[in-house]
Amino acid sequence: MRKIIFLLVLAAVLGGAAFYFYKASSVPKVVFDLASPQLGEVVKSTLKFSGSAPGNWFFEASFPVYIADGNDRVLGSGVAQAGEDWMTAGLVKFSGEINFEQSGTENGKIIFSKDNPSGLPENAGSFELPIK
């Protein structure tokens, strides 16, 4: 009887581990190439940004971008505009600028958000860059 209980517990643990690793490996990685600004860079208003993002991040050739302070308070927003054909599975060059108010916190972040006109959570995505 102990052997059967042991084997059942072992099968449950191994099955759970296999499911966990399958789910973890099936999460898509975001390829995002940011040219400017750089990680930890001190930024000021008006911030110009540029880089490349996957084509499926764009809707009508743009996606939203936000600047937030260290308390996650949004200080400003803008739009990343495609600089080339955006209807592709590959990377698409973008650029834009954001005017924002100054914050009392030392650190913040730029949030590049995948445009998601459907509002479905499975279509959402973001890339965050820590700044100062």
Side-chain angles (χ1 to χ4, degrees):
M1 183 68 166
R2 284 186 178 194
K3 273 187 171 180
I4 293 174
I5 292 174
F6 174 75
L7 290 175
L8 288 174
V9 169
L10 181 62
V13 169
L14 291 176
F19 178 75
Y20 171 79
F21 286 113
Y22 169 76
K23 290 295 281 179
S25 66
S26 66
V27 174
K29 304 286 186 231
V30 174
V31 177
F32 206 93
D33 182 20
L34 195 59
S36 160
Q38 298 296 310
L39 177 67
E41 185 175 326
V42 176
V43 299
K44 61 181 182 175
S45 191
T46 299
L47 171 68
K48 295 183 186 225
F49 56 86
S50 64
S52 298
N56 68 349
W57 273 51
F58 296 83
F59 180 72
E60 299 298 332
S62 66
F63 62 84
V65 182
Y66 306 92
I67 291 189
D69 66 12
N71 297 323
D72 290 332
R73 185 173 69 95
V74 175
L75 305 173
S77 63
V79 174
Q81 190 67 44
E84 57 192 9
D85 180 19
W86 59 279
M87 296 183 71
T88 177
L91 291 177
V92 176
K93 292 181 181 180
F94 67 83
S95 63
E97 60 183 45
I98 301 175
N99 292 311
F100 61 95
E101 61 184 83
Q102 294 300 315
S103 169
T105 65
E106 186 175 318
N107 297 314
K109 59 188 170 185
I110 303 174
I111 306 164
F112 298 87
S113 296
K114 181 178 179 183
D115 205 340
N116 183 11
S118 70
L120 298 172
E122 60 266 24
N123 295 335
S126 66
F127 173 81
E128 297 183 2
L129 178 74
I131 54 172
K132 297 185 183 252

